[in-house]
Amino acid sequence: MEENNLTQAELILYLETLAELIEAKAQTVEEAAAIIRDKADKLK
């Protein structure tokens, strides 16, 4: 099993990047959720 360990700084940077993507692209809550789910699926 592969372990993905992020430092706190890396996690904060990832979350900030995700927030900026949502601010730039999402017009609705549903679109924001879809962006998050898409990114999560790509990390699997």
Side-chain angles (χ1 to χ4, degrees):
M1 179 189 222
E2 181 181 329
E3 288 188 33
N4 291 322
N5 295 318
L6 293 176
T7 66
Q8 185 174 4
E10 289 171 327
L11 178 58
I12 290 169
L13 179 61
Y14 179 78
L15 291 174
E16 183 58 38
T17 302
L18 186 57
E20 289 173 3
L21 178 63
I22 290 168
E23 287 175 333
K25 295 194 175 223
Q27 299 295 316
T28 66
V29 172
E30 291 79 12
E31 288 176 356
I35 289 169
I36 293 169
R37 289 186 178 114
D38 181 54
K39 292 297 178 189
D41 286 342
K42 289 179 181 176
L43 292 173
K44 290 181 182 177

